[in-house]
Structure formats: structure tokens, C-alpha cells
Amino acid sequence: MGMGSKLEGPSTPANRRDPYEVLSVSRDSSDQEIKTAYRKLALKYHPDKNASNPEASELFKEVAYSYSILSDPEKRRQYDSAGFEALDADSMDMEIDLSNLGTVNTMFAALFSKLGVPIKTTISANVLEEALNGTVTVRPLPIGTSVSGKVEKQCAHFFGVTINEEQAESGIVIRVTSTAQSKFKLLYFEQDANGGYGLALQEDSEKTGKVTSAGMYFLHFQVYRMDSTMNALAMAKDPEGAFFKRLEGLQPCEVSELKPGTHIFAVYGDNFFKTASYTIEAVCAKSYEDTTQKLKDIEAQILRKRNELRQFEAEYRKALARYQEVTERYAKEKQSVDELLKQRDGIHSSFTIVKSTNVSGTASNLSNGSSSKVSGDESKGDSPGEDGGSDGKDKSAKKKWFNLNLKGSDKRLI
């Protein structure tokens, strides 16, 4: 991915040019040829080296944008088949140059990284320029040995690994680990004609168990590396379908063997604020023949599984669409059945001679009858002939009412 000083990703140039034209490569160029062309142009137009040249900054963005297309196999395929229209520029990720960020942006980048946001970083232009000029200090790293150290952020420690014909034929492995879980990059440089070193490969450290590690395997067969950033981006775009993209991050390494001679590797400090602790070791694969074969077998299985997942994803998407369809139908059918049963209950309740309006009328009549009876009693009490009898009955009733309490009281008074 491209270098840059912005966190939001590569800005799309106002007038987009053919990325092959921008990088001066042909359409059948290999990944390594594209990467080499990009490194040279990115270093040429890098903002650190062209602070007073705004045109160089725009060219740098164009180079980064073009590389972000051609370095990604899927985006390159889309562009080759349908041009820019097939690309979703908003989804492109980009590397950032920490040495070109201010303190605030670096803090934000560190925070996002802690939260799991995929932020890829690139190598400082100063380190790349010193390597190209051949002014770096190279320490020997003999086969079968290891070296531990601490490298400052955005700086690099260079090592020379010398191998003979037998070792080159057996295969070489260079691994770096950090028990402090530091972030770093493992770099491989090829010697240029002018005596300097040009960056050819890089591997970002990944957390594996309780350590972070990175490795390069030159074993005379195609070895693959896992780009976890692709998995993180897939998760952000489609959490449910991210599983199917989990193996898409498996990318072929550009170099599979080393020739006899001295080869230059480096450990680059990729922490946001502090130094990176590391241990680098060089191993000849001759003593690990069984392990080498296991690696070859397991990666072959992973590739087969990736193809199976691609096919299964189509089946899964189809089944998921069908599931959503039947789920929606289920809700509609349930609503329809509830409505039909409700109508049926209404029809059942229509078979009755007692209407809901008459029921309230009956209650009203009963209430009126009671009122009439009370009124009749009151009229009887008002007649002159029955006035005394009525009063007598009332007094008798009152007397009977109080008899329970008064009789006993009368006796005590006597």
C-alpha cells in the first residue's frame, strides 16, 4: 500500500490517470515489478523530500492511489475488467508514514490501533534513502545464530546474512519475535547497481500467542503470508460474511529463494511512541525438512479450503436470501391467520338474540324498576293514614337495632 500522511486513506486525484501509466509499468507486469516502480516514485515524490514543492505532493498522492489499485489483486482485476467505475475508492485503505505525522495524529493512530482499527504504516523516507545511498550500518547475522536488540521508532537495524551454495539450496528462514509484543517490520533489501540497497520485501509483525512475530521463508516453493488488514476491513464492511474473507488475506510472497552470497535484512521500529524490542534469527531449513514439508502441506490445504469457502459463500448467500424470504412470509402468514381467526370469532358472536345494545337497556330497566319501588314506598309513607304506623315501625326497628347494647346497660342501671 502507499505511503502518506493522512489517516483517512488515499485521496482520489481530480483527474485520474491509468495507474499503469502513472507507475510506468505494463499491464502484464509482475507484482514485484509494480512494487519496485512504486518504491522509486514514492521516494522521489515523498513530502519529506519536497516540502517546498506542492506539485510533488500531488504526484505522490497519484502514485500512492495508483499503487493502492495495482498492489491489490482483486482491485487490479476489477480495474482491468471495467476501469475506475468498478472500484469503490472509499473502501481503499492506505499506509501512513508515522514520521510525517504530528503528535496529535500519532496519538489518534495509536488509539485506533489499540481499538482494532486496521492502520497500516509505511517506512520512513529517511530510512529508505539511507539504504539507497548505502550509508547504513550492516551487522553480520551468521546462519544458526540470533541477535536481540531495541530499535527506535521509525528507525531500522540492518543485518547481513551470508549463505553458501548448500544453504541456499536447502532454504533459508529469517524470523523476528518480540516477547514485549512490540510492533515492527521485517525488511529485505536487494543490492542496487550503485551499491545501495532497494527495498524488495516487507512483513508486518503479527500477534501470535503472547509474542509478536514476522518471518520470511525462502524454501524454493511458493510460500504465503497473511495480510490481517484485509480481514479487518472485511469485518468492518460485512461482519456476517467476514468469515468467508478470512483466508483472502493469504497472499503469495514475491521471493521464494535466495542465491548464495550476502543478503540484507532489517528490523524497523513500528511502535507509535516507544522503542521496539526484538530478537532476529537466521535458520537453514536443512535441519527442518519435516517442518518444511508440513508448511508446504498445510498451506496447500488452506488454499483448497479458500476455494471451497468461495463456493460455499455463494450457497450460503443463496440460503440466507431464501431464509430472509421465508421469514418475511412467516410474519405475513402469521398476521393473516390472526386476522382470519379474529373475523371467525366475530362471526361466531353474531349468532345470538341478545344484542349488546339490549343488554345495557335491560340493566337500565332494572335500575328504573328499583327506583320506582323506592318511590312507591316513599309515597306510602307520605299518606296521612299510615303516618303513625310508619313512624312506629321505624322506632321499633331502631329499638331492635339498639337492643343488643341497651338492654344490658338498662340492667346495670337498675
Side-chain angles (χ1 to χ4, degrees), residues 66-84:
S66 298
Y67 183 68
S68 69
I69 296 173
L70 300 186
S71 63
D72 186 304
E74 179 62 20
K75 292 187 178 76
R76 184 179 180 181
R77 183 191 64 77
Q78 291 175 349
Y79 176 79
D80 289 344
S81 62
F84 288 115

Side-chain angles (χ1 to χ4, degrees), residues 131 142 165 171 186 314 322 378:
E165 287 190 12
L186 173 58
R322 178 59 179 161
E378 289 175 352

Side-chain angles (χ1 to χ4, degrees), residues 336-347:
S336 176
V337 168
D338 290 343
E339 184 61 31
L340 290 172
L341 291 176
K342 184 178 179 181
Q343 292 180 21
R344 178 173 177 270
D345 291 342
I347 294 172

Side-chain angles (χ1 to χ4, degrees), residues 13 19 78 133 163 183 340:
Q78 291 175 349
N133 294 334
I163 59 177
K183 289 186 64 178
L340 290 172

Side-chain angles (χ1 to χ4, degrees), residues 377 380-398:
D377 290 340
K380 288 181 182 180
D382 290 342
S383 60
E386 297 178 358
D387 186 52
S390 176
D391 290 342
K393 288 180 180 179
D394 290 340
K395 290 178 181 179
S396 174
K398 289 179 180 178

Side-chain angles (χ1 to χ4, degrees), residues 325-378:
E325 179 183 339
V326 297
T327 300
E328 291 175 1
R329 181 179 175 184
Y330 173 86
K332 292 178 180 178
E333 295 290 0
K334 183 177 182 299
Q335 183 179 0
S336 176
V337 168
D338 290 343
E339 184 61 31
L340 290 172
L341 291 176
K342 184 178 179 181
Q343 292 180 21
R344 178 173 177 270
D345 291 342
I347 294 172
H348 281 174
S349 65
S350 298
F351 290 98
T352 176
I353 59 174
V354 179
K355 302 298 182 182
S356 59
T357 54
N358 291 340
V359 172
S360 60
T362 304
S364 178
N365 292 336
L366 291 173
S367 176
N368 291 339
S370 301
S371 299
S372 299
K373 187 174 181 180
V374 171
S375 300
D377 290 340
E378 289 175 352

Side-chain angles (χ1 to χ4, degrees), residues 13-27:
N15 298 314
R16 294 186 292 185
R17 290 195 295 152
D18 180 0
Y20 292 102
E21 178 185 343
V22 173
L23 297 181
S24 299
V25 295
S26 62
R27 286 185 172 268

